[in-house]
Amino acid sequence: MQKIKYGIIGASGRMGKEIINVMNENENELVFKYDINGEWEKDKPEVLIDFSLPIAFEKSIQYALSFNCPLVCGTTGLSEDQLKQLKNISQKIAVVQSFNFSVGIQMLIKCVQMLSQTLADWDIEISETHHRFKKDKPSGTVIMLKNAIGKEVNISSLRLGNVPGDHEVSFGGLGEVISIKHGATSRRTFAEGAVKSAYFLLNKKNGFYSFQDVLFS
């Protein structure tokens, strides 16, 4: 596998540390990082990975444009204006944006799309549980699931302990219920998805991509 020079925004966070661990396993080189402790730069990164907070979003954009390198954005809680900014800069650099980099969640989204089309007159509800430190509520993953359903649905959100992320979508008819659930047992699954996205972008000059593009294109 090709070895790359990469940068991390949010390097000291839970996801930042996990991504560094996965990157190190493939002998990739961390050459830039930015977090609450400040900035450190050894070399120009070939790709930048952002798992920080919306408050650091402007910095992420500035760094990506300054380095003129692809950007993997996994920050949740972004506003519509911030997502619009990402799409605008994707005319200059390649961007992968997702609120969830789990392969299983992407499969869940595909299943939900199919079921919501077939069971359009059924009741549908979404429930989620995340760790107590998660800032956004509902999560970005719930927003993706809601978009896949294509209509307003009830959402239940819990913030408990150290749960990496559990999501369940339930479809109810008058005589039966279908529930589909995904549970993340480790943050590693999200880190592996972010690293896969970084490799995906290496040969892309510009464009706006989702994690589904990474997996299925």
Side-chain angles (χ1 to χ4, degrees), residues 32-41 59 63 67:
F32 171 83
K33 62 181 179 179
Y34 175 78
D35 54 28
I36 58 174
N37 299 311
E39 174 188 319
W40 172 84
E41 182 178 350
K59 276 284 190 182
Y63 283 127
F67 290 129

Side-chain angles (χ1 to χ4, degrees), residues 105-118:
I105 283 291
Q106 304 308 316
M107 299 307 297
L108 176 63
I109 289 171
K110 281 187 170 292
C111 291
V112 166
Q113 286 174 327
M114 180 189 69
L115 287 170
S116 60
Q117 291 168 4
T118 305

Side-chain angles (χ1 to χ4, degrees), residues 22-75:
V22 174
M23 279 291 203
N24 286 347
E25 290 174 8
N26 295 313
E27 298 182 357
N28 296 301
E29 184 181 3
L30 177 63
V31 297
F32 171 83
K33 62 181 179 179
Y34 175 78
D35 54 28
I36 58 174
N37 299 311
E39 174 188 319
W40 172 84
E41 182 178 350
K42 177 182 177 182
D43 201 351
K44 177 183 175 181
E46 297 173 272
V47 63
L48 196 58
I49 303 174
D50 176 17
F51 272 77
S52 57
L53 296 172
I55 195 172
F57 179 78
E58 295 300 328
K59 276 284 190 182
S60 302
I61 296 295
Q62 291 172 17
Y63 283 127
L65 292 175
S66 175
F67 290 129
N68 191 31
C69 70
L71 173 66
V72 177
C73 183
T75 298

Side-chain angles (χ1 to χ4, degrees), residues 10-217:
S12 61
R14 295 174 185 81
M15 277 304 304
K17 292 176 181 176
E18 198 70 50
I19 290 168
I20 290 172
N21 288 337
V22 174
M23 279 291 203
N24 286 347
E25 290 174 8
N26 295 313
E27 298 182 357
N28 296 301
E29 184 181 3
L30 177 63
V31 297
F32 171 83
K33 62 181 179 179
Y34 175 78
D35 54 28
I36 58 174
N37 299 311
E39 174 188 319
W40 172 84
E41 182 178 350
K42 177 182 177 182
D43 201 351
K44 177 183 175 181
E46 297 173 272
V47 63
L48 196 58
I49 303 174
D50 176 17
F51 272 77
S52 57
L53 296 172
I55 195 172
F57 179 78
E58 295 300 328
K59 276 284 190 182
S60 302
I61 296 295
Q62 291 172 17
Y63 283 127
L65 292 175
S66 175
F67 290 129
N68 191 31
C69 70
L71 173 66
V72 177
C73 183
T75 298
T76 61
L78 295 179
S79 68
E80 288 299 321
D81 284 343
Q82 289 172 324
L83 289 171
K84 186 176 179 180
Q85 277 185 267
L86 272 181
K87 291 177 180 177
N88 286 339
I89 70 163
S90 72
Q91 298 174 34
K92 299 179 181 179
I93 61 172
V95 176
V96 169
Q97 186 277 327
S98 182
F99 295 124
N100 193 303
F101 283 85
S102 155
V103 173
I105 283 291
Q106 304 308 316
M107 299 307 297
L108 176 63
I109 289 171
K110 281 187 170 292
C111 291
V112 166
Q113 286 174 327
M114 180 189 69
L115 287 170
S116 60
Q117 291 168 4
T118 305
L119 308 175
D121 60 338
W122 286 33
D123 303 320
I124 308 174
E125 298 216 3
I126 303 172
S127 62
E128 57 143 347
T129 303
H130 283 88
H131 54 87
R132 68 177 66 170
F133 306 106
K134 188 166 180 61
K135 303 292 185 183
D136 52 320
K137 187 179 183 180
S139 68
T141 304
V142 167
I143 293 171
M144 291 195 297
L145 288 166
K146 181 181 173 183
N147 291 340
I149 294 167
K151 65 179 183 181
E152 289 298 317
V153 296
N154 288 328
I155 297 168
S156 301
S157 298
L158 298 176
R159 297 292 178 263
L160 300 170
N162 196 34
V163 180
D166 290 341
H167 296 85
E168 184 172 5
V169 184
S170 297
F171 298 79
L174 293 179
E176 56 191 328
V177 173
I178 300 173
S179 294
I180 307 177
K181 183 176 181 179
H182 174 273
T185 57
S186 168
R187 292 181 180 85
R188 182 183 174 90
T189 187
F190 311 125
E192 289 176 343
V195 172
K196 186 185 292 288
S197 299
Y199 277 100
F200 171 84
L201 287 179
L202 284 181
N203 298 317
K204 301 285 192 299
K205 292 184 178 180
N206 60 8
F208 188 81
Y209 304 94
S210 69
F211 189 45
Q212 291 211 352
D213 293 322
V214 176
L215 295 177
F216 307 121
S217 65

